[in-house]
Amino acid sequence: MTVLVAPDKFKGSLTAAQVASAVAAGVREVARDEPVVELPVADGGDGTVAAAVAAGFRRVPVRVSGPTGRRITAFFALRGDVAVVELAEASGLHRLPGGLPAPLTASSYGTGELIAAARAAGASRIVLGVGGSACTDGGAGMLTALGARVLDSFGTAVALGGIGLGSVSAVDLSGVSAVDIELACDVDNPLLGPSGAAAVYGPQKGASPEDVAVLEAGLRRWAAVLGPSAAQVAGAGAAGGVGFAALAALGARIRPGIALLLDLLGFSAAVRDARLVITGEGSLDTQSLHGKAPVGVLRAATSAGVPTVAVAGRCLLPPAEWRAAGFTAVHALTDLEPDPARCMTNAAPLLRRLAERLARDHADAP
């Protein structure tokens, strides 16, 4: 029997692979004769390509446009005919030059370039993780990079970014080849309205109330041209509407991000021989209970009959809530170091110590 270590990243501190390595080292220090398997995971947001690479995919570099048009080197992951494309790699918030938001002009064009590069490399199935975007362009940039023509009433290409959507009159998709895309998505927002892409996520990307109104109007016009029915699908509002464009124009299918990634990473095979699963993320809180990676791992492990323990930088859930969710125990870095800043700075050694304690506490787990 093994201990399976399947955490997400500790955002701002450690990648998922680094978390898994630190936890595994702590467990091995106590359970020296017990196999420990490291399987870092992701839910479709930043870190998705890294998780795929840790599971055996090949990391492929591509020169693409960042969200503001500046050329950058981004990566996708490839294994056989399956590619994992992470929107955040090309069009993410962390790709904004100087960290300055561009809520009206940021584009998903680079994500389309990544998809095109993956296809050119031989991928026939694209898994597209759609978390962490900097743009609210309805996926128009992505489609343009894939060969679409997004036109105004004069037949001229509209400007990239959400600002251009207000003048859209027609879309020519004749230059877009068929592509098999699965969206790894952990949100259920529609494209439009008070729970849509502009209203909910626009402010997080630097949009003022006036900007949100402009973006909402543009997305509404874009939806009317490209496909009104797809705008209402849960997840269409993901990544500033990239989910909508993938659904309406590319025939994509949406699956919960963590469930899709666990399948892709081979979790079901790995958990088969496990007596204990250790998962976690930087902050275990109420959002974690709504489809985030640790709860996705928990559900998959529970289905296999394996108890699951969580590690976190901090835990904001009362014991009654994490127990009700199904965790056997939760261990936080703040149990060892009450200063959050020190927890972030010294996350790896603290995680190793925490894992040693965890291994002793759960040495007899069935």
Side-chain angles (χ1 to χ4, degrees):
M1 301 297 286
T2 66
V3 173
L4 176 59
V5 182
D8 198 356
K9 63 187 173 298
F10 278 32
K11 194 166 186 176
S13 296
L14 301 171
T15 67
Q18 290 170 330
V19 174
S21 177
V23 171
V27 173
R28 291 186 180 109
E29 188 65 28
V30 174
R32 295 179 181 273
D33 298 325
E34 185 167 30
V36 181
V37 176
E38 299 172 39
L39 187 72
V41 303
D43 58 12
D46 53 314
T48 295
V49 164
V53 170
F57 281 67
R58 178 167 58 92
R59 192 168 180 250
V60 182
V62 189
R63 291 292 288 176
V64 301
S65 296
T68 62
R70 179 182 294 185
R71 299 298 285 179
I72 60 173
T73 300
F75 298 86
F76 67 89
L78 183 67
R79 184 172 65 189
D81 62 353
V82 179
V84 177
V85 173
E86 180 184 318
L87 177 143
E89 267 290 301
S91 312
L93 288 165
H94 71 286
R95 291 297 198 176
L96 290 166
L100 296 175
L104 296 178
T105 57
S107 166
S108 59
Y109 190 91
T111 296
E113 291 180 300
L114 273 179
I115 293 171
R119 295 188 64 203
S124 58
R125 175 191 174 200
I126 308 288
V127 174
L128 176 59
V130 290
S133 79
C135 53
T136 310
D137 72 342
M142 174 186 71
L143 295 183
T144 300
L146 290 172
R149 298 173 68 226
V150 183
L151 308 171
D152 63 17
S153 59
F154 300 101
T156 303
V158 304
L160 290 174
I163 192 69
L165 299 179
S167 58
V168 172
S169 288
V171 183
D172 177 3
L173 297 173
S174 62
V176 179
S177 302
V179 55
D180 180 13
I181 290 185
E182 291 179 278
L183 293 176
C185 177
D186 67 352
V187 302
D188 58 5
N189 305 77
L191 180 67
L192 304 170
S195 59
V200 175
Y201 299 110
Q204 298 176 17
K205 303 172 187 181
S208 67
E210 293 77 16
D211 293 337
V212 168
V214 170
L215 293 168
E216 178 72 15
L219 289 171
R220 194 167 295 280
R221 184 176 182 116
W222 175 233
V225 172
L226 190 62
S229 60
Q232 301 305 315
V233 175
V242 165
F244 163 72
L247 290 164
L250 303 177
R253 305 178 302 284
I254 290 183
R255 287 185 61 192
I258 184 59
L260 178 51
L261 266 296
L262 288 180
D263 283 351
L264 201 65
L265 301 178
F267 182 86
S268 59
V271 79
R272 201 171 294 139
D273 297 324
R275 69 166 182 87
L276 180 69
V277 170
I278 304 172
T279 188
E281 63 181 345
S283 179
L284 197 66
D285 50 35
T286 53
Q287 288 190 18
S288 305
L289 302 180
H290 297 284
K292 289 291 191 178
V295 170
V297 170
L298 167 68
R299 289 170 179 164
T302 300
S303 295
V306 181
T308 302
V309 174
V311 293
R314 62 177 186 175
C315 179
L316 301 181
L317 296 173
E321 287 193 30
W322 56 253
R323 288 194 184 102
F327 289 108
T328 300
V330 171
H331 301 262
L333 299 188
T334 50
D335 298 341
L336 300 177
E337 171 53 70
D339 184 343
R342 290 179 181 172
C343 284
M344 293 190 72
T345 302
N346 301 305
L350 286 171
L351 262 176
R352 181 166 179 158
R353 285 175 52 198
L354 198 69
E356 292 177 18
R357 175 188 293 185
L358 182 159
R360 294 187 189 95
D361 289 349
H362 302 279
D364 298 324

